Amino acid sequence: MSEISDLKSLHDRADKFSKIAVDFKYEMKEAQKFITGLCEVYGISIYYAPSYEEHIKKEGGGIKRIDALFKGLLLVEMKSEGESLEKAYAQAQGYVDKLKNRPDDMPRYVLVSDFQKFVLYDLIEEKVTNFKLADFRQNVEVLGFLGGYERIATSIQEAANIAAAAKLGVLHKSIQANDYRGEDLERLLVRILFCLFGDDTHLFGKPDLFLELINQTRADGRDVGSTLDDFFDVLDTPLDSRKNTFPEFMSFPYVNGALFKGRIAPHRFTSEARTALLDCCKIDWS
């Protein structure tokens, strides 16, 4: 009885979504609302919502953005009504190729849609399914795998947390090895952690600006400490008060509060500590 009731509830939510989404047409304005509506049909909590506008680096530089990525499960590429879904899939395939070096994020499925039409690709079974928004109720079970997304997202998050903690631990030990300890070490790590988070959450405007900053330091690590000190000073300085600032620092925001207030004891990085910091930069801290 409960399975019948659950299926009826799923069909009712599909009906509701179809009626709301029937007037959606434009990718830029309505793609995220459309995908959020799909999440609600399958009972996906806001806490496990897909990653919107996931960054993918293009060949030769620059950034492309995936409309939505249910990490480890589904990639969604939206187009405005009437646009080519074949081109949308070709674009999505490019994203999938780029995700091959991020195995936890690799999707099994790709969904392309222009709001009124859906095309679902199963990349493992090489199966393609087409249906229209008007027929969503009858096809709602085609996307039934989304019902298990929270479990997948939780396991990925747990693995990511373990990896992040391990990388941060290596950085901690690498700096500590130079006899840098106590409160200054903890304040330094908290500041670095904020910068890592800021790099992956658009806090700094563009992605990977902090990573680029560290990449520009010497391989032996000798100038990493002074670069960080200068950078922390900039974050603690309001935009209209910045003078004689390195041009590469000018795009970073002012961080109000006590986090970057005052200098901590000088800290000398080695090549090992610099490598550990770069490894931390490569983790998605968002």
Side-chain angles (χ1 to χ4, degrees):
M1 182 67 179
S2 63
E3 290 184 7
I4 296 174
S5 176
D6 289 345
L7 186 57
K8 182 181 184 306
S9 179
L10 183 63
H11 285 168
D12 288 345
R13 292 196 298 271
D15 277 341
K16 181 180 178 181
F17 171 73
S18 297
K19 291 173 183 175
I20 292 173
V22 70
D23 294 323
F24 288 2
K25 295 182 179 181
Y26 303 108
E27 178 187 358
M28 293 296 292
K29 290 171 54 180
E30 295 162 322
Q32 290 190 15
K33 288 193 294 183
F34 187 83
I35 297 165
T36 300
L38 274 180
C39 289
E40 292 172 354
V41 171
Y42 295 97
I44 297 174
S45 164
I46 189 173
Y47 300 109
Y48 296 100
S51 173
Y52 292 112
E53 300 293 320
E54 181 83 13
H55 290 165
I56 293 290
K57 290 184 178 179
K58 296 192 296 185
E59 297 291 344
I63 297 291
K64 294 287 286 183
R65 291 176 173 84
I66 299 171
D67 286 333
L69 181 64
F70 296 77
K71 295 185 177 183
L73 186 62
L74 172 70
L75 184 152
V76 181
E77 181 60 33
M78 299 295 301
K79 292 299 176 187
S80 295
E81 185 179 6
E83 291 190 16
S84 169
L85 294 186
E86 288 80 7
K87 289 183 179 179
Y89 181 59
Q91 186 175 340
Q93 283 181 306
Y95 297 150
V96 170
D97 287 341
K98 292 292 184 182
L99 289 170
K100 286 180 179 176
N101 63 351
R102 293 161 50 179
D104 286 340
D105 294 348
M106 267 292 289
R108 171 175 175 170
Y109 302 95
V110 169
L111 177 67
V112 296
S113 175
D114 69 349
F115 299 100
Q116 302 307 310
K117 298 188 294 291
F118 296 80
V119 185
L120 179 71
Y121 297 83
D122 184 330
L123 302 181
I124 293 179
E125 295 188 2
E126 299 183 348
K127 179 181 177 182
V128 182
T129 306
N130 297 265
F131 59 94
K132 295 180 180 180
L133 177 65
D135 300 322
F136 185 42
R137 178 190 178 96
Q138 299 95 301
N139 292 276
V140 68
E141 292 178 71
V142 171
L143 298 174
F145 56 82
L146 285 175
Y149 175 65
E150 293 192 14
R151 174 181 53 78
I152 295 171
T154 300
S155 63
I156 290 174
Q157 187 62 58
E158 288 173 353
N161 288 343
I162 292 169
K167 294 291 186 184
L168 204 59
V170 171
L171 176 62
H172 183 282
K173 289 180 181 178
S174 299
I175 301 173
Q176 193 178 53
N178 290 323
D179 203 29
Y180 193 77
R181 302 172 182 273
E183 184 180 348
D184 284 323
L185 173 58
E186 302 312 318
R187 289 181 66 195
L188 173 62
L189 287 172
V190 170
R191 289 180 176 187
I192 288 174
L193 185 57
F194 176 91
C195 294
L196 294 171
F197 177 77
D199 231 14
D200 290 328
T201 56
H202 302 180
L203 183 65
F204 296 151
K206 296 181 184 177
D208 296 333
L209 285 180
F210 183 66
L211 170 61
E212 289 177 13
L213 182 69
I214 303 304
N215 265 328
Q216 292 170 13
T217 59
R218 292 173 46 149
D220 61 12
R222 291 180 61 183
D223 62 341
V224 174
S226 59
T227 298
L228 287 174
D229 283 338
D230 290 339
F231 180 55
F232 296 157
D233 284 346
V234 169
L235 295 180
D236 189 45
T237 304
L239 299 180
D240 57 3
S241 299
R242 293 180 184 177
K243 298 177 181 177
N244 302 320
T245 299
F246 293 113
E248 60 266 32
F249 289 165
M250 289 303 294
S251 60
F252 287 93
Y254 168 52
V255 180
N256 199 3
L259 180 58
F260 296 102
K261 188 73 66 181
R263 288 213 167 193
I264 53 181
H267 38 97
R268 184 173 64 84
F269 273 64
T270 60
S271 61
E272 291 79 10
R274 178 181 181 271
T275 298
L277 178 53
L278 286 171
D279 285 343
C280 285
C281 289
K282 294 170 185 175
I283 290 177
D284 183 359
W285 293 87
S286 62

